[in-house]
Amino acid sequence: MDKKIQDSLKFYIKTYGCQMNERDSEKVHCILEEAGFKESSIESADIIVINSCAVREKAESKIYSEIGRIRTINKKAKIVSMGCVAQFNHKKLKSVSDFVVGTAAIDSFYDIASNINKKGVFIKEKMDNPEYIFPHKKGISAFVDIMYGCNHFCTYCIVPFTRGREISRTKESVIEEIKRLVDNGTKEVMLLGQNVNSYGHKLGYDFVDLLYEINKIDGLRRIRFTTSHPKDFSLKLINAMRDLDKVCEHIHLPLQSASNRILKLMKRGYTKEEYLEKVYQYKEIVKDGSITTDIIVGFPTETEDDFEKTMQLVRDVEYDTSFSFKYSKRPLTKAKDIEPQVEEAVKLKRLNKLQDLQAEITQKKNRLCIGRTFEVLVEGKAKKGDMLFGRNRQNTVVNFDFKDNIRAGDVVNIKITKALKHSLVGEVVC
Ligand code: SAH
Ligand code: SF4
Ligand code: F3S
């Protein structure tokens, strides 16, 4: 491709959804930049990419409203619809976009970049080469895909239909990608997969083996990962979190519900008791370990009694934070046909109750940090005031006063002086 041809062209990317989508958008950003495009505002872009999420109905509808909005402010730009909605509903998106790119066809941006005046639909069932190392932006912290897809088919979830069957990248290509990142200044990696605990089952090694290998990489300071499915969350992994110095003390362990009847209908593969046993094992073995979760309220047939079980578990476990959602009916999933569905007003009431409880717990836990000292990896200037920010190993954001000799990428000890709703404030300990 002649780089000069693209030199005057500009792009804008809008991303919805989870970290996997953020990582995919980063790949697209880098592919376009390498081809000579420049990032710009939505108004002046020649090509606008919308990376969509399909996990809930509201998320899905955003891609259509966003395309409508773009057309009113920028009539000339080429529109690329990509991501999870594109993968399962490309026919509908084709009529309103110039290009449609599915989740397994990110590499087609190399073609799109060479000629944005063609139109095209790029949908593949499987990636041509899951080992391919896509480029990264420069940064202290980086997302690294270790696997793609999901084989679980929880009855509410559309992801297996938008991301395909599970496939793990080999440890050689993951390690190579991380080494390149570290050579470029990255200090922390977030390993991404829908269920990292089932990593590698066809490769002859597992997720813990991979963690041991990554932990050996010189220059890397921290390893994080998401998401851990509770069914496969093992004692072996808990012990590795204790023993490996770079692996941070934080686990995201989506509960979804604490009613065994609902868990069964969701096809989650664990009971409340099994979940709790693992949580208590983790809390005992991983010193100062934080825990976060995802919860769905108003799954079909959920009663007040089922919901109360979830509330009680949240009180008992005391999550550091949780992400909670009203159940949303998704096409292709089994739960959409389960009756009775829960009324919208009831879902909303339960969601508010749960979120109020979580806010209380988060604040209480943040207040308990006052006076304690945490190791913080500095990420850069904070949004407000003359402050720097970073995260502690437990994944809480910590803001602290600017100091001339502290740079992004440094690891500093910060003593907490103040607890805010979602973050901490502190001062550097010399
Ligand atoms: N692979 C991850 C979750 C990916 S989707 C896991 O298994 O934990 C992220 C979260 O979205 C889920 O944990 C769930 O809480 C929520 N979610 C998925 N489908 C949903 C639906 N139909 N309605 C509401 N929330 C949903
Ligand atoms: Fe969806 Fe379940 Fe797979 Fe997570 S494990 S992506 S909730 S089907
Ligand atoms: Fe992520 Fe949404 Fe797709 S949560 S995997 S972007 S459906």
Side-chain angles (χ1 to χ4, degrees):
M1 175 193 342
D2 183 352
K3 193 170 165 183
K4 280 207 180 98
I5 296 176
Q6 316 300 356
D7 267 355
S8 54
L9 293 176
K10 298 190 246 8
F11 71 94
Y12 175 86
I13 304 176
K14 173 90 188 170
T15 309
Y16 297 100
C18 64
Q19 288 112 320
M20 279 132 210
N21 262 17
E22 279 181 43
R23 171 67 187 127
D24 286 345
S25 288
E26 182 191 30
K27 295 170 190 170
V28 174
H29 176 109
C30 296
I31 292 171
L32 293 176
E33 261 189 4
E34 278 175 13
F37 288 72
K38 298 265 177 314
E39 193 174 22
S40 77
S41 66
I42 196 163
E43 287 82 6
S44 58
D46 300 286
I47 178 165
I48 296 175
V49 181
I50 311 164
N51 195 356
S52 60
C53 171
V55 78
R56 285 167 289 275
E57 195 184 351
K58 214 167 154 191
E60 181 184 347
S61 65
K62 280 189 185 144
I63 186 163
Y64 300 103
S65 54
E66 186 63 6
I67 292 175
R69 189 178 82 88
I70 289 167
R71 279 296 173 230
T72 62
I73 50 182
N74 184 337
K75 291 195 174 51
K76 69 167 196 354
K78 303 288 175 192
I79 293 184
V80 189
S81 299
M82 66 177 281
C84 286
V85 181
Q87 184 72 24
F88 89 96
N89 213 349
H90 50 94
K91 289 199 180 97
K92 189 167 168 193
L93 280 170
K94 192 178 162 211
S95 60
V96 288
S97 329
D98 298 281
F99 296 93
V100 183
V101 179
T103 50
I106 305 292
D107 51 349
S108 60
F109 275 92
Y110 287 106
D111 291 340
I112 295 173
S114 67
N115 186 354
I116 66 166
N117 293 316
K118 275 198 290 196
K119 286 182 176 248
V121 176
F122 301 88
I123 302 291
K124 289 178 195 161
E125 213 163 279
K126 280 203 312 213
M127 272 169 212
D128 290 340
N129 178 12
E131 305 303 335
Y132 181 73
I133 299 176
F134 282 97
H136 282 266
K137 291 188 201 171
K138 213 173 152 55
I140 299 304
S141 185
F143 289 142
V144 175
D145 296 309
I146 61 164
M147 58 201 297
Y148 300 106
C150 180
N151 285 352
H152 269 281
F153 292 93
C154 302
T155 58
Y156 51 82
C157 184
I158 198 169
V159 171
F161 303 96
T162 67
R163 294 269 165 183
R165 289 302 71 71
E166 195 174 284
I167 177 149
S168 299
R169 292 178 59 205
T170 61
K171 61 176 192 274
E172 287 76 17
S173 84
V174 172
I175 302 271
E176 172 61 25
E177 179 165 346
I178 298 175
K179 282 187 172 161
R180 285 188 202 173
L181 281 162
V182 170
D183 286 346
N184 235 340
T186 295
K187 303 284 181 205
E188 174 184 271
V189 287
M190 168 70 99
L191 309 174
L192 298 180
Q194 291 298 347
N195 174 13
V196 293
N197 300 333
S198 61
Y199 171 84
H201 66 274
K202 284 191 185 150
L203 294 171
Y205 41 85
D206 65 15
F207 181 56
V208 173
D209 300 330
L210 179 72
L211 286 179
Y212 267 85
E213 291 294 318
I214 298 174
N215 201 66
K216 289 183 201 150
I217 298 176
D218 281 339
L220 182 69
R221 298 295 296 254
R222 286 180 171 184
I223 305 167
R224 299 185 184 279
F225 54 88
T226 196
T227 294
S228 263
H229 194 296
K231 183 163 81 73
D232 314 307
F233 183 48
S234 63
L235 185 58
K236 189 177 170 193
L237 175 56
I238 297 175
N239 285 334
M241 293 181 76
R242 175 197 57 199
D243 296 338
L244 295 174
D245 60 324
K246 293 176 187 167
V247 175
C248 288
E249 294 74 27
H250 168 231
I251 187 85
H252 185 65
L253 203 62
L255 167 72
Q256 313 302 357
S257 167
S259 152
N260 287 337
R261 192 182 65 81
I262 296 290
L263 284 171
K264 202 162 175 204
L265 280 176
M266 288 176 162
K267 215 173 129 254
R268 286 292 284 177
Y270 54 85
T271 61
K272 171 186 98 174
E273 290 75 20
E274 285 161 350
Y275 180 93
L276 276 176
E277 197 186 316
K278 290 183 185 184
V279 167
Y280 289 129
Q281 239 174 7
Y282 165 76
K283 287 194 172 196
E284 201 183 305
I285 295 173
V286 181
K287 196 176 157 280
D288 268 339
S290 63
I291 177 164
T292 56
T293 200
D294 291 347
I295 294 170
I296 296 176
V297 301
F299 184 84
T301 78
E302 186 188 68
T303 61
E304 274 305 316
D305 185 46
D306 293 318
F307 173 66
E308 193 39 55
K309 290 192 166 94
T310 304
M311 290 285 283
Q312 191 52 48
L313 188 142
V314 170
R315 282 183 209 108
D316 293 342
V317 170
E318 298 201 308
Y319 293 103
D320 292 78
T321 52
S322 66
F323 303 91
S324 45
F325 315 97
K326 286 183 289 173
Y327 167 77
S328 169
K329 239 184 189 187
R330 302 313 293 132
L332 308 170
T333 61
K334 290 225 166 77
K336 76 174 189 331
D337 301 317
I338 301 178
E339 292 293 343
Q341 296 272 326
V342 177
E343 266 176 54
E344 214 38 49
V346 174
K347 286 188 210 169
L348 184 61
K349 210 172 98 205
R350 289 180 190 165
L351 185 73
N352 288 336
K353 230 173 135 179
L354 178 61
Q355 292 186 340
D356 287 348
L357 171 63
Q358 184 58 58
E360 251 175 58
I361 296 170
T362 303
Q363 268 197 338
K364 179 182 127 187
K365 292 193 96 172
N366 280 352
R367 274 199 299 269
L368 286 173
C369 293
I370 295 176
R372 293 186 58 196
T373 299
F374 290 96
E375 180 204 287
V376 171
L377 172 64
V378 184
E379 291 184 43
K381 282 193 93 175
K383 278 185 198 129
K384 279 188 220 149
D386 196 14
M387 292 189 109
L388 292 169
F389 88 101
R391 281 166 200 273
N392 63 12
R393 293 178 62 95
Q394 290 71 14
N395 209 27
T396 305
V397 170
V398 180
N399 292 289
F400 57 98
D401 278 335
F402 182 82
K403 275 214 160 64
D404 261 350
N405 57 342
I406 296 178
R407 304 259 170 284
D410 289 350
V411 174
V412 290
N413 286 325
I414 303 289
K415 187 171 178 185
I416 304 305
T417 53
K418 206 166 138 190
L420 303 178
K421 249 186 182 172
H422 302 290
S423 60
L424 300 168
V425 181
E427 54 200 30
V428 181
V429 181
C430 294

